[in-house]
Amino acid sequence: MTLEGGEGAGKSTQARLLVAALAARGIDAVLTREPGGTPLAEAIRGLLLTEGEGPGLRTEALLFAAARADHVARLIAPSLAEGKWVVCDRFVDSSRAYQGGGSGLPDAEILALHRVGSETLLPELTLLIEVDPEVAIQRTAARDGDASDRIGGRDAAYHARVAAAFNQFATAEPDRFARIDGNGSPEQTHAAIMAAIDAARWGPA
Ligand code: TYD
C-alpha cells in the first residue's frame, strides 16, 4: 500500500505509525520510500533532489521511473512474493501528480514509463493524505526552514496543481484510493488511516 500527498502532509510519520500498528496486529510490513528504497534508487534520489539546475522534465520523469524500477525489482516485488505487506511513502502517483499535474507531462506518458520500468505494478490501497495549503506551508517551514529540496521548493501554483492532480486520481479510482484528512493531530490522522484499512474489502478482519 502507498501513502501519497503533497509536501507537509505527514506521510513519513504516518508510514512509521502504520507499520508499527500492523506489526502489533502480527502483520509483517516492510517500510520503504520513494524516490529511494534501494542503494541505486537512493543514489538517483540524490541526483533528483539536490539544489541546482537539475535534470529537464523528461529526464526527471525517466529518473523517477528508473529509481522505481530498481526499487520494485529489488525490494518491493521480492517482499510481496514472500507474503509481506509493503508500505511505501510515495510511488507512481507522485510521478503522475508532480511530473504530470505539476509540470505538464501527459499522464499516459508517465504510465508508459511505469509499464516499461515496473510492469505497471500498482498498490492495492493508496492512502491520500490531504491537508489545507496553509497547514502544509506551516509544517514544511517548521521542518525544512529555507532548506526545501529542488522539487519541494517549487512555487505555490505548482503545488496547487499537484494537489489538484492527486484529487483527480482519487476521484477516478475510488476503489484504490482512500482520502485521509491530514489536518488534525498525527494520532487523529493515524486513526483515520487504520479505519480506512479496516474498511477496505481485503483488509484484516
Ligand atoms: P520527499 O523527501 O519524499 O518529500 P516529502 O517529505 O515532502 O514527501 O521528497 C520527494 C520529493 O520528490 C517531493 O517533492 C516529491 C517529489 N517526487 C516527484 O516529483 N516525483 C516522484 O515520482 C516522487 C516519488 C517524488
Side-chain angles (χ1 to χ4, degrees):
M1 89 181 78
T2 60
L3 290 99
E4 296 281 7
E7 318 290 312
K11 293 180 303 301
S12 312
T13 305
Q14 292 304 326
R16 281 194 301 274
L17 293 173
L18 171 55
V19 167
L22 291 174
R25 292 182 177 191
I27 296 168
D28 191 2
V30 177
L31 173 60
T32 187
R33 68 159 181 188
E34 290 206 345
T38 62
L40 178 61
E42 291 288 339
I44 295 175
R45 177 186 180 91
L47 300 176
L48 281 162
L49 299 182
T50 316
E51 278 295 334
E53 190 188 5
L57 171 57
R58 285 174 184 278
T59 311
E60 181 177 290
L62 284 160
L63 286 172
F64 275 115
R68 183 164 302 124
D70 191 64
H71 189 204
V72 168
R74 294 203 161 126
L75 180 69
I76 296 179
S79 300
L80 294 173
E82 285 170 18
K84 293 179 182 158
W85 289 35
V86 174
V87 173
C88 192
D89 181 352
R90 297 194 181 279
F91 195 63
V92 69
D93 296 304
S94 278
S95 286
R96 300 173 67 205
Y98 284 78
Q99 285 66 53
S103 300
L105 269 190
D107 196 43
E109 292 192 11
I110 292 164
L111 291 174
L113 296 183
H114 190 48
R115 191 177 67 240
V116 174
S118 304
E119 298 175 274
T120 310
L121 178 70
L122 286 177
E124 289 182 67
L125 178 66
T126 296
L127 300 153
L128 174 61
I129 306 183
E130 297 181 299
V131 293
D132 296 339
E134 314 82 68
V135 175
I137 288 167
Q138 271 174 11
R139 288 186 190 164
T140 47
R143 183 187 66 183
D144 302 336
D146 292 334
S148 61
D149 63 55
R150 205 178 51 77
I151 295 177
R154 290 175 182 165
D155 66 19
Y158 182 89
H159 291 291
R161 292 197 297 278
V162 169
F166 276 130
N167 182 35
Q168 200 184 319
F169 305 151
T171 304
E173 281 184 80
D175 287 346
R176 175 161 73 89
F177 278 85
R179 287 171 196 269
I180 305 293
D181 179 353
N183 289 299
S185 68
E187 293 72 25
Q188 286 168 328
T189 306
H190 175 63
I193 286 176
M194 296 313 290
I197 289 173
D198 288 334
R201 267 196 318 276
W202 48 269

